[in-house]
Amino acid sequence: MKYRFFDWAFLAIVLIAVLVLFAFFFERIPTQNNTLAMDWKAIWPSFRDGNLQYLPVIGGLRFPPWSVIPFLPLGFLSMQASWGILAGIGILILVISVPRVNSKIIYWLSIFLLVISFPALRNIADGNMENIVVGGVLLSIYGYDKKNVFALAAGILIATIKIQEVTLLLLVVAFYLFLTWHPGDYLKLGVILTGIIGLSLIYRGKDWLAAVFGQNYQQYTGSIIDISITAALKRLGFVPPSIIWLVWITILGCFLYIAWRSRPALSREKVGMLVAGSLLLAPYAAGNSVLSVLAIGIIPLFQANQLWGGFLIALIDLPFLWSKDMLFNYQAYYWTAIVLVTWISLAWRCIFTVIQEERCQGR
């Protein structure tokens, strides 16, 4: 026990030292008159001096208060130093997110492909908080599998920093909890979540709702950066609303069928499917969120099937070769297509696994 304490203490010191180095390095990166840290430049003022504020800034903070309160200490640092800390935490989350497999080559290759991927580097460059969603989802999976109420509560609170990415996951988790957990445990979970979310809404709920449903947010819904399936089909201009609704309902119906057939396990591939489906069905989703689909669903798929998983990773990294004009005009369409293909791939994997398990039980 004594040695384990020193091991954890040493690990904590190393991680802190690494984050400090990230802060010093990013402090020296010029961010004036360029797009570096463009998301964090808009978000950081809302954390200044540890005081959460939803400022009327285009592209500013719209995350729910219960998810961002733990990050308020970043407001005591400079914009660039806090950007570096955020980048360091994000890389650490991505490394931890990669499942361990028997093949060390595949394991380290998975880490490498994830960390240097286009969405990962873009999130660092933009100063986006997408990596935090990945961490929250992973913690939720751990809490559910281990029947750990506090871990699941923390995971849900963190993952909902971008609610539009985890709506289907939350529905599935709630359903599975009623099937597998003791009533006292999921009631305890409900009390914890209600208490924390309720207090945070009392603290800044009114300002948050104004930021979410205000003018600055509405201009993004259906815009050229919106990757939801509804936005993509509407932008084409020739798809009838009835067809758009049919596509939307079809995706939802497939989700319900798979969630029912494959209950009550939460595999990484199933969770990746749920995140991809949530993005497709969301009222609004941005291209940064492709990182969650990659980290949660595609990387485990790559470890199981290097050919198809590698092909999807190659498609995700293809925008490295694009010009600025192509990125601006076609990136949203491209990410919608990638998320849709990934969702179909992971959904097929889930159903195929269920069918195999049923056949084995039948024998």
Side-chain angles (χ1 to χ4, degrees):
M1 190 72 179
K2 179 180 178 182
Y3 293 109
R4 179 173 294 182
F5 170 78
F6 283 113
D7 289 342
W8 283 108
F10 177 74
L11 178 61
I13 292 172
V14 171
L15 291 178
I16 292 173
V18 170
L19 292 179
V20 170
L21 290 175
F22 266 87
F24 276 108
F25 177 75
F26 277 73
E27 186 75 65
R28 286 158 177 74
I29 298 177
T31 58
Q32 301 297 325
N33 303 318
N34 58 48
T35 59
L36 287 174
M38 63 178 184
D39 289 337
W40 190 242
K41 287 175 185 175
I43 293 173
W44 177 79
S46 295
F47 293 171
R48 193 191 299 271
D49 298 327
N51 180 26
L52 178 60
Q53 300 181 70
Y54 289 90
L55 305 173
V57 178
I58 295 178
L61 184 68
R62 296 189 299 272
F63 305 142
W66 62 82
S67 296
V68 297
I69 287 175
F71 300 98
L72 290 183
L74 293 177
F76 292 104
L77 303 174
S78 68
M79 187 280 294
Q80 288 171 269
S82 57
W83 174 37
I85 296 290
L86 185 67
I89 293 173
I91 292 175
L92 178 62
I93 289 173
L94 293 183
V95 172
I96 294 174
S97 74
V98 176
R100 290 190 173 274
V101 291
N102 293 329
S103 173
K104 290 185 178 180
I105 295 177
I106 295 299
Y107 173 68
W108 288 108
L109 180 60
S110 299
I111 292 177
F112 176 75
L113 291 175
L114 176 59
V115 172
I116 61 100
S117 66
F118 182 87
L121 296 182
R122 176 186 170 184
N123 271 269
I124 292 175
D126 291 352
N128 201 279
M129 301 183 74
E130 187 62 36
N131 309 62
I132 306 304
V133 179
V134 176
V137 170
L138 294 176
L139 190 55
S140 299
I141 297 173
Y142 172 83
Y144 174 79
D145 288 341
K146 301 297 183 181
K147 290 184 168 57
N148 188 315
V149 173
F150 298 102
L152 180 55
I156 291 173
L157 291 171
I158 294 172
T160 49
I161 193 170
K162 293 189 176 182
I163 300 175
Q164 70 272 20
E165 291 186 43
V166 293
T167 49
L168 298 184
L169 176 61
L170 293 178
L171 291 174
V172 168
V173 168
F175 176 55
Y176 289 175
L177 287 179
F178 282 104
L179 295 179
T180 60
W181 279 33
H182 188 275
D185 290 332
Y186 58 70
L187 288 175
K188 185 188 298 183
L189 175 67
V191 170
I192 293 173
L193 292 176
T194 302
I196 294 176
I197 292 175
L199 289 174
S200 71
L201 290 177
I202 293 173
Y203 172 52
R204 285 292 186 268
K206 182 179 179 180
D207 295 339
W208 170 58
L209 291 173
V212 170
F213 297 106
Q215 182 178 359
N216 287 341
Y217 177 75
Q218 292 299 324
Q219 66 177 322
Y220 293 112
T221 305
S223 69
I224 197 171
I225 64 173
D226 191 346
I227 70 168
S228 67
I229 193 70
T230 301
L233 294 177
K234 283 183 177 179
R235 283 197 306 268
L236 292 175
F238 58 81
V239 182
S242 57
I243 299 298
I244 296 176
W245 273 109
L246 180 61
V247 172
W248 196 94
I249 292 172
T250 299
I251 295 174
L252 179 63
C254 291
F255 145 71
L256 293 173
Y257 173 75
I258 295 171
W260 177 260
R261 282 288 302 272
S262 60
R263 64 189 189 281
L266 274 184
S267 67
R268 284 287 292 272
E269 291 175 345
K270 183 194 289 188
V271 174
M273 178 203 70
L274 296 174
V275 172
S278 296
L279 291 173
L280 292 172
L281 299 182
Y284 166 78
N288 300 83
S289 299
V290 173
L291 177 60
S292 290
V293 178
L294 172 62
I296 296 167
I298 295 178
I299 290 298
L301 175 61
F302 167 75
Q303 293 179 329
N305 186 330
Q306 284 82 54
L307 182 61
W308 186 245
F311 175 69
L312 291 177
I313 293 173
L315 290 179
I316 282 179
D317 288 338
L318 191 60
F320 273 127
L321 305 177
W322 291 13
S323 66
K324 289 184 179 180
D325 289 339
M326 286 183 65
L327 288 172
F328 180 80
N329 292 310
Y330 303 110
Q331 190 174 184
Y333 287 114
Y334 187 72
W335 291 137
T336 303
I338 292 296
V339 173
L340 180 61
V341 170
T342 302
W343 175 78
I344 293 172
S345 301
L346 295 175
W348 170 250
R349 291 274 302 181
C350 291
I351 286 297
F352 182 73
T353 301
V354 170
I355 293 173
Q356 279 192 320
E357 290 176 351
E358 290 177 349
R359 285 177 178 175
C360 291
Q361 292 173 0
R363 292 176 183 174

